[in-house]
Amino acid sequence: MKKTGWKKYLLGLVSASALVLAACGSGEEATDSSSTSGGDEAESSTLQISVDQGYVDYVEEIKGAFEEEHGVKIEVTERDMFEQLEALPLDGPSGNAPDIMMSAYDRMGSLGQQGHIAEVTLGNDAQYNETDKAQVTLDGKIYGAPAVIETLVLYYNTDLLEEAPTTFADLEELAKDERFAFDGEEGKNTGFLAKWTDFYFTYGLVSGYGGYIFGEDGTDPTDIGLNNEGAVEAIEYATDWFKNTWPQGMQDVTSSDAFITDQYLNGKVGAFIGGPWQAASLKDAGVNYGVTTIPTLNNGEAYEAFGGGKGWVVSNYSENKDVAQEWLDYVTNTENQNKFYDDTNEVPANQDSRVYATEQDDELTTAVINQYKDAQPMPNIPEMAEVWTGAENMLFDAASGNKTPKESADDSAKLIKESIEQKYTN
């Protein structure tokens, strides 16, 4: 998923949860669905579904058959996904939350543990691989039905490159091409760019060299592998790009995105690592581009970027959990996931629908699906919030020379560990 709004979300969730606990002074837990208001037959025959603006038409188009089969009326409301999730701890107990909504995969674990979303089953279990299932599972409990997959890809300028780079050695050759020399900074080059000051973008490099976040399966917060030998080697490699190749603007954490886009639009970038959400702006700008998987690292391993996306979840405050479960099974079946791809061009999680999407000969879709095979599921345990904060300056500190790569890695791992111990140890 695109790493957007998580800080706002976490702060809101903590504040809202505190208010919920205060409101439940009698000792009732937030997981008790009886705390919702209403409950008469008229209310139980209506299923409320909240989705982002881009999904409203899709839900409206497919809901008819479901309503007829299950004898319910579906009311669709439009609300930003992160706003909806942030409001759930307060809206749920007051009876104002929808029955069903969508959630980013990395939010599901926290919401499930805190009792805000319900445990569900995967009615289309055979259509998901182990990575898909890991995205929605925590402590053996499933909290959502996978709907969309996302991961980073490589964009390249088809007007300047005859073929897509396939190895990082190819990218290093681009950095020697005089066509991409950066005016104003002698010896600097923009042939290949990557926003490695952002840990979301850096993790694929770190993981490809053997670093990891929380153990091999991403669920052990006591095992932090962001300063092991492989992780340090990855940071050293990235630091070399910052110091010896890239212009100073690539170290700016807040504006490097704009720098990369501006350079690409001006024909000064051969290739860059980006997310599928960036394709629309390139297309709107009228520039020619190709999309492919991220090249193989110099150690021969794949660039193991985060695998993310979003799925359907059920409010734990809903009085309609049974029919809500039926909706999750319905909306994620192959027919409806095929239509989801047709309507949104977002890559479906359903395996058969991925085959269908690949057959549509869309380069971005194919690149995301192929890259996702090597993706690492983003940990969905609550402690992941401390990683974003603790690793925020890891690459900047190394790239700017404030610290050595080893010092930067050690300090980030220490900060993450200490934050987890302070906030999550009883």
Side-chain angles (χ1 to χ4, degrees), residues 182-250:
F182 184 71
D183 295 336
E185 294 184 36
E186 186 177 355
K188 301 299 184 178
N189 188 289
T190 55
F192 162 68
L193 298 176
K195 191 185 177 184
W196 281 339
T197 51
D198 186 331
F199 183 70
Y200 180 79
F201 286 79
T202 310
Y203 183 69
L205 178 67
V206 171
S207 181
Y209 274 91
Y212 56 88
I213 299 178
F214 295 140
E216 293 185 1
D217 60 358
T219 60
D220 183 359
T222 66
D223 183 6
I224 300 170
L226 294 179
N227 64 331
N228 65 15
E229 183 178 352
V232 173
E233 184 179 358
I235 297 170
E236 289 173 343
Y237 180 73
T239 300
D240 186 64
W241 280 91
F242 281 105
K243 288 185 175 180
N244 300 319
T245 303
W246 288 339
Q248 190 71 24
M250 286 299 292

Side-chain angles (χ1 to χ4, degrees), residues 122 124-130 132-133 145-147 332 349-351:
L122 294 179
N124 299 298
D125 180 88
Q127 290 299 331
Y128 302 119
N129 61 26
E130 292 307 309
D132 302 327
K133 294 175 184 178
T332 57
N350 180 300
Q351 294 291 311

Side-chain angles (χ1 to χ4, degrees), residues 45 64-73 322-323 326-327 330:
S45 65
F66 185 88
E67 289 176 321
E68 183 175 351
E69 179 179 354
H70 294 278
V72 298
K73 175 178 175 57
D322 288 343
V323 70
E326 294 292 338
W327 171 264
Y330 173 76

Side-chain angles (χ1 to χ4, degrees), residues 322-340:
D322 288 343
V323 70
Q325 174 69 63
E326 294 292 338
W327 171 264
L328 265 59
D329 298 344
Y330 173 76
V331 75
T332 57
N333 67 30
T334 300
E335 179 181 357
N336 285 321
Q337 280 265 276
N338 288 356
K339 180 171 176 52
F340 179 82

Side-chain angles (χ1 to χ4, degrees), residues 49-52 55 58-59 62 100-105 108 117-118 120 122 128 136 142-148 310-314 324 327-332 337 340:
I49 300 178
S50 173
V51 290
D52 281 336
Y55 303 145
Y58 165 72
V59 175
I62 69 169
I100 298 168
M101 64 209 81
M102 297 192 81
S103 170
Y105 293 140
M108 291 183 187
I117 60 175
V120 298
L122 294 179
Y128 302 119
V136 299
I142 299 170
Y143 290 109
V148 184
K310 49 201 163 190
W312 295 93
V313 297
V314 177
W327 171 264
L328 265 59
D329 298 344
Y330 173 76
V331 75
T332 57
Q337 280 265 276
F340 179 82

Side-chain angles (χ1 to χ4, degrees), residues 191-391:
F192 162 68
L193 298 176
K195 191 185 177 184
W196 281 339
T197 51
D198 186 331
F199 183 70
Y200 180 79
F201 286 79
T202 310
Y203 183 69
L205 178 67
V206 171
S207 181
Y209 274 91
Y212 56 88
I213 299 178
F214 295 140
E216 293 185 1
D217 60 358
T219 60
D220 183 359
T222 66
D223 183 6
I224 300 170
L226 294 179
N227 64 331
N228 65 15
E229 183 178 352
V232 173
E233 184 179 358
I235 297 170
E236 289 173 343
Y237 180 73
T239 300
D240 186 64
W241 280 91
F242 281 105
K243 288 185 175 180
N244 300 319
T245 303
W246 288 339
Q248 190 71 24
M250 286 299 292
Q251 292 185 23
D252 192 314
V253 177
T254 59
S255 65
S256 55
D257 259 338
F259 179 84
I260 293 172
T261 300
D262 180 69
Q263 293 298 309
Y264 187 89
L265 295 182
N266 284 291
K268 300 297 291 183
V269 176
F272 72 94
I273 293 175
W277 53 87
Q278 292 177 266
S281 61
L282 297 179
K283 185 175 182 180
D284 291 343
V287 299
N288 294 322
Y289 65 91
V291 192
T292 187
T293 53
I294 299 172
T296 304
L297 297 169
N298 287 342
N299 63 356
E301 300 296 328
Y303 192 99
E304 299 176 347
F306 281 126
K310 49 201 163 190
W312 295 93
V313 297
V314 177
S315 167
N316 206 30
Y317 306 95
S318 171
E319 296 181 341
N320 304 307
K321 290 188 180 70
D322 288 343
V323 70
Q325 174 69 63
E326 294 292 338
W327 171 264
L328 265 59
D329 298 344
Y330 173 76
V331 75
T332 57
N333 67 30
T334 300
E335 179 181 357
N336 285 321
Q337 280 265 276
N338 288 356
K339 180 171 176 52
F340 179 82
Y341 174 75
D342 291 337
D343 287 2
T344 68
N345 204 42
E346 294 186 34
V347 182
N350 180 300
Q351 294 291 311
D352 283 347
S353 293
R354 286 188 215 179
V355 174
Y356 169 81
T358 303
E359 292 171 347
Q360 309 312 305
D361 295 325
D362 181 88
E363 197 172 31
L364 176 61
T365 296
T366 302
V368 170
I369 291 174
N370 289 336
Q371 186 71 45
Y372 193 78
K373 295 174 183 177
D374 292 315
Q376 290 286 318
M378 188 183 298
N380 61 10
I381 60 177
E383 290 86 347
M384 185 63 190
E386 310 315 315
V387 175
W388 294 123
T389 303

